[in-house]
Amino acid sequence: MTTVSNGVNVKALLDARDALKGAPEAAQFTWRATSKWQDGVHSTTRIQQFFGLGQEQNHKSEAVFEADHPEVFAAEDNGITPIEYLLVGLASCLTAGVASVAQNRGIQLRSVESTVEGNHDIRGILGADSDVRNGFNDIKVTFTIDADASEKDIEALVAQSQKRSAVFDALTNPTSVTVEVA
Amino acid sequence: MEHVTTAVVGAGHAGLAASRFLSDRSIEHVVLERGEIANSWRRERWDSLRLLTPNRQSRLPGHRYDGPDPDGYMTAGEVADFIAGFAKVADAPVRTGVDVTSVRAGRTGYELETSLGPLGARSVVLASGACNRPVVPPFHTEVPASVVQVTPFDYAAPDRLPDGGVLVVGASATGVQLAAEIRRTGRPVTLAAGEHVRLPRTYRGRDVLGWMEASGVWDQRYDEIDDLTRARRLPSPQLVGSPARETLGLNELSALGVEIVGRLAAVRDGWALFSGGLRNVASLADLKMERLLDTFDAWAASSGTDAPPPERFAPTRVPASPRLRLDLRGGEIRTVVWATGFRPEYGWLHVPVLDDKGRLRHDGGVVGPGLYALGLPVLRRRKSTFLHGVEDDAREVIAHLAAAL
Ligand SMILES: Cc1cc2nc3c(=O)[nH]c(=O)nc-3n(C[C@H](O)[C@H](O)[C@H](O)COP(=O)(O)OP(=O)(O)OC[C@H]3O[C@@H](n4cnc5c(N)ncnc54)[C@H](O)[C@@H]3O)c2cc1C
């Protein structure tokens, strides 16, 4: 097999998988974000620390995300809307998956692009119709992939990346969410 | 206390195959069976069940189907008789009605407690079955009391279910078979499909399981498989053995009027919540089926087999917007059928050989000194749990046992 390089260290991931098989405690991660209201519907969310491998960990630097609503919602548009962050998460998670699976399967990628569309009936959040849900009605992701592989193999890459995707799972399966006042 | 060289736990086809090879080597042994021979086929199958493997694959060491319909599929009763026939010709030393309640390591070999008293054995073969208990997800306790819940062990026939809608959870062999059978009584049926294995009943004019055998897929050895854990957890293929030799996948079930939804992910506040990932599991199943058919075609081309030309099947049709939730309190659903798999029962095995998930640790059926297993998924080969699959495993496992005596 020719060696491929998609820039993913699959060997390290597979080693981690083996190591974690006997150490489920170390596999427990908690991802954290803290958010602060600015003004109007504008908020700023910061992410730096997380817990994993049995201890507190730090990203190299703090990441800051502005969230607001667009002007058509009579807001200032200081950032993307919160629900758009879900699309960012989904696209980047699936793309990371495609690269990792391709590396593992010996497929050289040249380019991977995707567009994500989430259909959202906003009558739900406005309380205009109680039969309409608040979240997305459906989401469509379209990949355009250039790689040394057959169409079938590319389809299989994308299918496998969904199978392993944290964000795909979080969006497609119910999660218990607790919101409280500290 | 009575002593034997080898004790075999279970008189299903696996235990009887072990007995056959032990007899061939003149190793003194007994086969202990809590019920009767082929008990699981007599007590633990639903009324209409037929094998999904064709009659020509009903083979045990030195014993084969020799009836008029090699392409047909046996009923559960016929399988029980077939296995009992094998026990007879093999003259297996079976003791029926003997429940093994404990196996412990002893000073020389093992000490067994049974319903008929203690027994010492230098070696033990665990052939107690891979499907002793139905697996039901923990959130079954959240299903409202107004809904009847059944497992394949309680299920006998559709007319024994309450009238009204049925939610079948699981789309492997059991789930698709029960969904179709229940739907044919006119009841509304919803089928929650997680990851599954799609196969056509016949391919290029032959039974698809014949292709698995001929092309060598089934003979693949456990030590040649990349991800053995995964292979051992693979769900059963969506197949039914029927006189009509019909294919029974999600497309066929939709055509019967079964509503297909995603994997049942949770039951919360009386609502069944289904995964939105149905399209993904369907396309994974389509892709894997096509890859397998490619393997058959490649084998056919290289072996010069004359069979009709390659076929391809329509992709799985998934509803444009599959239902994501269903109110279990609303009266629409009267019964939930859990077709969510089976597991072995080892409560009586007091030897530290289970992993943290309660699965038996073994290397090709060699569990530890003097302790062996047969009949578990991909024990030594992909075909290990099937009737015709046990022969090669049993021969090798018993050879190991004999060499260690
Ligand atoms: C629904 C279903 C459909 C299947 N369809 C097919 C098919 O179409 N084709 C095919 O080839 N295979 C099929 N199989 C798989 C497989 O062939 C059967 O599971 C088969 O019965 C396995 O044989 P076995 O000897 O390993 O186990 P079993 O037949 O389960 O035999 C184990 C025996 O051990 C006994 N036992 C268990 N514990 C004890 C104990 N503590 N003391 C004493 N006795 C004990 C049990 O009573 C039982 O008789 C199917 C399985 C299921 C569940």
Side-chain angles (χ1 to χ4, degrees):
Chain A
M1 192 163 68
T2 53
T3 40
V4 304
S5 167
N6 297 323
V8 184
N9 188 347
V10 164
K11 167 95 177 38
L13 296 177
L14 295 178
D15 288 349
R17 176 169 82 173
D18 283 341
L20 291 179
K21 267 184 190 153
E25 329 75 56
Q28 307 309 314
F29 276 63
T30 304
W31 305 106
R32 281 190 214 111
T34 51
S35 187
K36 195 170 159 60
W37 173 62
Q38 302 296 341
D39 184 43
V41 291
H42 176 201
S43 65
T44 306
T45 302
R46 296 170 183 274
I47 294 185
Q48 177 152 35
Q49 285 185 321
F50 58 96
F51 180 89
L53 303 178
Q55 60 186 49
E56 287 298 327
Q57 308 271 358
N58 267 291
H59 283 290
K60 262 195 207 155
S61 58
E62 185 184 56
V64 181
F65 302 94
E66 303 296 333
D68 201 349
H69 287 166
E71 287 174 348
V72 292
F73 284 6
E76 307 239 328
D77 209 4
N78 288 305
I80 64 174
T81 59
I83 203 164
E84 286 171 295
Y85 276 109
L86 290 178
L87 302 183
V88 176
L90 181 62
S92 45
C93 195
L94 290 176
T95 304
V98 166
S100 308
V101 177
Q103 183 72 35
N104 197 27
R105 294 188 176 176
I107 295 174
Q108 181 62 57
L109 298 172
R110 280 185 293 271
S111 77
V112 180
E113 283 170 28
S114 64
T115 49
V116 188
E117 291 166 289
N119 288 315
H120 190 194
D121 184 338
I122 66 163
R123 284 176 302 168
I125 52 175
L126 292 175
D129 184 340
S130 57
D131 291 334
V132 174
R133 63 181 288 185
N134 298 343
F136 289 121
N137 294 330
D138 50 67
I139 297 176
K140 185 166 186 219
V141 186
T142 313
F143 270 101
T144 311
I145 296 178
D146 182 16
D148 288 329
S150 70
E151 213 172 292
K152 271 272 131 62
D153 287 342
I154 290 175
E155 274 176 43
L157 266 187
V158 173
Q160 184 65 18
S161 103
Q162 290 166 74
K163 192 180 155 189
R164 285 274 153 266
S165 166
V167 182
F168 182 86
D169 176 274
L171 279 169
T172 52
N173 289 310
T175 305
S176 160
V177 180
T178 309
V179 178
E180 57 186 22
V181 178
Chain B
M1 181 168 71
E2 185 189 354
H3 282 269
V4 290
T5 306
T6 301
V8 179
V9 184
H13 78 265
L16 295 168
S19 167
R20 176 70 198 240
F21 289 112
L22 289 164
S23 295
D24 286 353
R25 292 173 178 266
S26 306
I27 297 171
E28 178 224 5
H29 68 281
V30 293
V31 182
L32 305 172
E33 168 57 53
R34 61 181 172 191
E36 15 177 356
I37 290 172
N39 204 55
S40 60
W41 293 104
R42 297 183 197 279
R43 307 251 178 274
E44 295 166 4
R45 306 285 187 261
W46 56 93
D47 294 356
S48 68
L49 181 100
R50 283 176 182 268
L51 287 191
L52 52 79
T53 39
N55 290 337
R56 60 174 81 248
Q57 287 175 343
S58 288
R59 293 196 299 270
L60 286 164
H63 191 63
R64 56 175 56 233
Y65 171 86
D66 59 2
D69 186 12
D71 292 319
Y73 307 91
M74 287 184 190
T75 63
E78 287 166 346
V79 185
D81 293 344
F82 177 79
I83 294 173
F86 171 63
K88 198 163 215 159
V89 295
D91 201 15
V94 182
R95 297 183 191 171
T96 53
V98 182
D99 197 356
V100 176
T101 53
S102 169
V103 173
R104 278 176 211 286
R107 230 161 289 134
T108 53
Y110 293 89
E111 286 166 11
L112 285 73
E113 295 294 336
T114 80
S115 52
L116 284 188
L119 177 72
R122 282 175 67 189
S123 49
V124 174
V125 179
L126 308 171
S128 47
C131 303
N132 308 114
R133 292 266 176 281
V135 174
V136 174
F139 50 77
H140 78 276
T141 53
E142 303 295 316
V143 172
S146 56
V147 173
V148 174
Q149 303 186 49
V150 301
T151 71
F153 276 30
D154 324 315
Y155 176 90
D159 57 20
R160 309 268 281 277
L161 301 181
D163 280 335
V166 180
L167 170 63
V168 177
V169 185
S172 292
T174 302
V176 297
Q177 291 179 26
L178 299 189
E181 160 166 307
I182 297 166
R183 175 66 199 138
R184 288 185 175 122
T185 64
R187 288 175 174 78
V189 175
T190 305
L191 176 67
E195 265 194 76
H196 55 270
V197 178
R198 181 183 177 196
L199 282 185
R201 179 72 267 181
T202 56
Y203 183 62
R204 299 177 68 176
R206 299 181 190 170
D207 195 284
V208 73
L209 298 185
W211 285 96
M212 298 267 275
E213 185 162 31
S215 63
V217 172
W218 250 349
D219 279 325
Q220 240 175 23
R221 290 178 53 91
Y222 76 114
D223 45 12
E224 297 167 355
I225 293 173
D226 275 348
D227 191 343
L228 183 59
T229 313
R230 210 187 118 62
R232 285 184 168 155
R233 299 195 46 206
L234 206 64
S236 58
Q238 290 175 327
L239 285 175
V240 58
S242 70
R245 297 162 70 74
E246 74 201 296
T247 292
L248 190 57
L250 298 185
N251 282 349
E252 291 74 21
L253 287 166
S254 300
L256 279 175
V258 172
E259 180 180 0
I260 313 290
V261 297
R263 193 177 65 88
L264 178 58
V267 177
R268 192 187 288 164
D269 302 330
W271 288 82
L273 305 176
F274 305 111
S275 168
L278 176 61
R279 199 173 303 275
N280 182 230
V281 290
S283 64
L284 280 164
D286 287 354
L287 286 160
K288 282 179 187 157
M289 176 180 73
E290 285 181 20
R291 208 176 302 146
L292 185 67
L293 300 182
D294 287 343
T295 314
F296 296 162
D297 293 339
W299 171 81
S302 68
S303 68
T305 296
D306 62 333
E311 297 173 73
R312 282 302 175 265
F313 302 92
T316 302
R317 285 185 303 277
V318 173
S321 40
R323 193 206 286 256
L324 298 175
R325 41 194 245 142
L326 207 169
D327 183 2
L328 296 176
R329 297 208 167 124
E332 192 181 337
I333 296 295
R334 293 297 319 283
T335 311
V336 173
V337 177
W338 299 105
T340 31
F342 304 92
R343 65 173 171 77
E345 174 66 51
Y346 293 121
W348 42 272
L349 185 58
H350 303 296
V351 188
V353 289
L354 301 182
D355 69 14
D356 52 1
K357 292 197 173 162
R359 288 181 304 223
L360 193 69
R361 275 195 301 258
H362 67 91
D363 179 11
V366 180
V367 182
L371 192 58
Y372 298 89
L374 279 173
L376 300 177
V378 202
L379 187 97
R380 281 188 171 241
R381 296 172 174 77
R382 282 205 189 267
K383 64 184 178 182
S384 290
T385 35
F386 290 95
L387 278 172
H388 71 285
V390 84
E391 176 166 359
D392 291 341
D393 282 11
R395 183 185 301 109
E396 292 173 12
V397 164
I398 297 307
H400 191 292
L401 181 153
L405 279 178

